[in-house]
């Protein structure tokens, strides 16, 4: 079983950047497909980005494609979400998730483990 802890959220102006981190413990992230999701107030949790266990396949939501980048550092047992050109509509709690199955998925229910989330607020 893996435990996930997100960090790096905060308040940023539109057009700015943040890098979210998701540190894993218990097992290494290389054992899992990993995903980032977000949830805004009053909305359902939505897919942001995901990478397969092998790292060979990475997927992004259309709304973040070209602005966000998912990366993984196996030596640090951490995954990252680099977020550039942030928009007010990116405001949400961001969650890191791990999936036992090696394929990356875009549906939250496909993931077995979740972090507690980190708040990202983008001001206009």
């Amino acid at each position: 079983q893996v435990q996930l802890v997100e960090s790096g959220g905060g308040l940023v102006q539109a057009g700015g950047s943040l890098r979210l981190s998701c540190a894993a413990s218990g097992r290494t992230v290389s054992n899992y497909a990993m995903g980032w999701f977000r949830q805004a107030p009053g909305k359902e949790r939505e897919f942001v980005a995901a990478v397969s266990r092998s790292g060979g396949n990475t997927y992004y939501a259309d709304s973040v494609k070209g602005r966000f980048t998912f990366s993984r550092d196996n030596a640090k047992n951490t995954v990252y979400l680099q977020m550039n050109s942030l928009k007010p509509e990116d405001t949400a709690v961001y969650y890191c998730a791990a999936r036992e199955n090696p394929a990356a998925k875009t549906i939250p229910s496909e993931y077995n483990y979740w972090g507690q989330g980190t708040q990202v607020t983008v001001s206009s």
Side-chain angles (χ1 to χ4, degrees), residues 2 4 32-35 96-100 110-115:
V2 65
L4 304 171
Y32 302 92
M34 300 295 296
C96 170
R99 185 168 189 262
E100 298 275 5
E110 295 280 357
Y111 287 78
N112 306 103
Y113 308 102
W114 291 84

Side-chain angles (χ1 to χ4, degrees), residues 31-73:
N31 289 307
Y32 302 92
M34 300 295 296
W36 284 98
F37 294 80
R38 65 187 182 186
Q39 188 165 18
K43 295 187 177 181
E44 293 188 352
R45 192 165 298 187
E46 66 172 4
F47 168 73
V48 175
V51 65
S52 60
R53 185 169 68 188
S54 68
N57 294 294
T58 306
Y59 305 95
Y60 296 95
D62 288 342
S63 59
V64 307
K65 201 171 293 183
R67 300 188 297 124
F68 290 12
T69 304
F70 195 149
S71 62
R72 181 167 62 187
D73 187 334

Side-chain angles (χ1 to χ4, degrees), residues 5-21:
V5 178
E6 302 95 335
S7 62
L11 173 64
V12 64
Q13 288 188 333
S17 299
L18 283 173
R19 188 178 78 157
L20 305 184
S21 300

